[in-house]
């Protein structure tokens, strides 16, 4: 008797990047509670891998390893689960799949880890089930799953308008080097937006706008200029909720970073370096301050969600 060989078509592994917002300009909330944005996303080399295993008749299941395993929900509230379910509903495919998420992106950290998982699950299930969605259909499903999911598909560096889901690629020269300071615990994105609204009160908020300095620095590959131009409207709100992050930002500056910012809704803080060696140097110095859980060096921009095996 010969043992059945594993069928390579029965599992697909997809990699999706985390992101940092180089500029995040936030308008007032609309009637739907969402804020219209003008943001520049950059995909960074901290990523999550999602493997989809065919599991005929077994329904959906999710397991998680790596960053935040044990805290990530394993039920239908998991964004990877919801992505598989949405794709099945949209295409009529049977939602039979076992998803394993290997996490490298900090959990609830403002780096769109959950969105990366959703994007990766969409691409993995589409390949596994042979549903062959068009780029546009994939983008539409991604936007239904969350504001940052389309960018996780797109990758690179992009201007995001609307909820952050209307994307245009941005011209970038070269590679930028980052250090991320990962915090204990996470921050809730709705809570940070809510805090921003509370801080603003009745203030009239101008249309969201990305500073020209950010786009110019990117196209010139000028890390010093980019470091000086980083801006995040959510940062004061995140600092209200997590005053300890002020010390993290100070430590980054004292460690020689070209610029530092709360990443998205936080609490991860992102620091820009001149080059890879400078990033490692900042990472070592940041560690010695003892103000964050851990640090990670990364480069950017990197590709969007793609099949790796
Ligand atoms: O779209 P997503 O589910 O990722 O958004 C999470 C929460 O972040 C929303 O429920 C909303 O409170 C807030 N949000 C917002 N405006 C955006 C994006 C997100 O208010 N453009």
């Amino acid at each position: 008797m010969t043992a059945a060989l594993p069928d390579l078509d029965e599992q697909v592994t997809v990699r999706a990047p985390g992101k940092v917002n180089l500029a995040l300009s936030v308008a007032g909330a609309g009637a739907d509670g969402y804020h219209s944005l003008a943001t520049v996303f950059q995909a960074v080399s901290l990523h999550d891998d999602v493997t989809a295993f065919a599991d005929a008749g077994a329904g959906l299941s999710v397991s998680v390893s790596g960053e935040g395993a044990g805290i990530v929900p394993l039920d239908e509230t998991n964004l990877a689960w919801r992505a598989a379910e949405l794709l099945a509903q949209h295409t009529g495919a049977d939602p039979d799949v076992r998803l394993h998420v290997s996490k490298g992106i900090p959990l609830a950290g403002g780096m769109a880890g959950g969105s990366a998982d959703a994007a990766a699950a969409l691409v993995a299930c589409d390949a596994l089930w042979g549903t062959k969605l068009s780029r546009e259909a994939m983008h539409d499903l991604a936007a239904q799953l969350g504001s940052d999911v389309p960018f996780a598909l797109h990758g690179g560096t992009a201007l995001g308008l609307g909820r952050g889901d209307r994307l245009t690629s941005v011209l970038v020269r070269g590679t930028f080097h980052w250090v991320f300071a990962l915090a204990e615990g996470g921050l809730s994105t709705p809570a940070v937006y809510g805090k921003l609204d509370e801080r603003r009160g009745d203030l009239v908020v101008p249309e969201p706008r990305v500073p020209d300095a950010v786009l110019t620095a990117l196209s010139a590959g000028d890390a010093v200029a980019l470091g000086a131009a980083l801006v995040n409207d959510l940062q004061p709100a995140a600092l209200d909720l997590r005053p300890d992050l002020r010390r993290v930002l100070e430590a980054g500056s004292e460690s020689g970073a070209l610029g530092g910012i709360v990443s998205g809704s936080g609490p991860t803080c992102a620091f820009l370096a001149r080059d890879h060696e400078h990033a490692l140097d900042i990472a070592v110095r940041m560690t010695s301050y003892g103000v964050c859980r851990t640090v990670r060096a990364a480069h950017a921009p990197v590709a969007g969600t793609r099949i790796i095996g």
Side-chain angles (χ1 to χ4, degrees), residues 101-207:
V101 185
S102 172
K103 293 200 66 69
I105 306 171
L107 194 72
M111 297 190 70
S115 304
D117 300 348
L122 269 183
V123 171
C125 292
D126 183 54
L128 189 72
W129 296 340
T131 42
K132 295 194 168 65
L133 239 58
S134 67
R135 233 181 131 82
E136 291 72 28
M138 191 74 93
H139 180 283
D140 287 350
L141 292 191
Q144 286 178 47
L145 289 162
S147 311
D148 293 340
V149 184
F151 178 72
L153 284 178
H154 186 286
T157 306
L159 176 69
L161 300 175
R163 292 180 177 189
D165 56 330
R166 282 176 23 220
L167 299 172
T168 314
S169 295
V170 165
L171 181 72
V172 176
R173 186 186 297 262
T175 296
F176 291 88
H177 297 270
W178 291 95
V179 176
F180 293 98
L182 279 52
E184 293 293 350
L187 267 176
S188 144
T189 303
V192 176
Y193 275 100
K195 191 70 184 173
L196 176 68
D197 292 339
E198 187 190 312
R199 284 177 64 94
R200 284 172 164 173
D202 295 332
L203 215 71
V204 178
V205 184
E207 283 297 299

Side-chain angles (χ1 to χ4, degrees), residues 26-120:
V26 182
D32 59 1
Y34 277 84
H35 298 71
S36 97
L37 309 178
T39 187
V40 177
F41 292 109
Q42 185 160 69
V44 305
S45 63
L46 299 184
H47 51 253
D48 285 0
D49 290 341
V50 173
T51 302
F53 299 91
D55 209 350
L60 257 162
S61 63
V62 176
S63 57
V64 177
S65 60
E67 272 286 334
I71 309 171
V72 183
L74 303 177
D75 57 12
E76 68 283 356
T77 60
N78 184 298
L79 263 185
W81 178 304
R82 284 177 41 207
E85 204 166 50
L86 184 65
L87 180 67
Q89 276 166 14
H90 183 80
T91 59
D94 290 327
D96 291 328
V97 66
R98 187 156 60 84
L99 296 170
H100 180 75
V101 185
S102 172
K103 293 200 66 69
I105 306 171
L107 194 72
M111 297 190 70
S115 304
D117 300 348

Side-chain angles (χ1 to χ4, degrees), residues 19-20 22 42 44-46 106 111 176-183 230 248-249 251-253 255-263 267-289 291-292 294-300:
K19 61 84 185 165
V20 58
L22 311 180
Q42 185 160 69
V44 305
S45 63
L46 299 184
M111 297 190 70
F176 291 88
H177 297 270
W178 291 95
V179 176
F180 293 98
L182 279 52
L230 299 170
V248 181
L249 291 171
S253 161
S255 298
L258 303 178
I261 199 166
V262 170
S263 177
T268 305
C269 292
F271 300 99
L272 193 59
R274 271 191 310 275
D275 51 32
H276 180 60
E277 279 67 37
H278 189 211
L280 295 182
D281 185 51
I282 293 169
V284 170
R285 287 172 195 251
M286 287 287 304
T287 306
S288 71
Y289 279 91
V291 290
C292 56
T294 187
V295 294
R296 298 254 193 286
H299 61 271

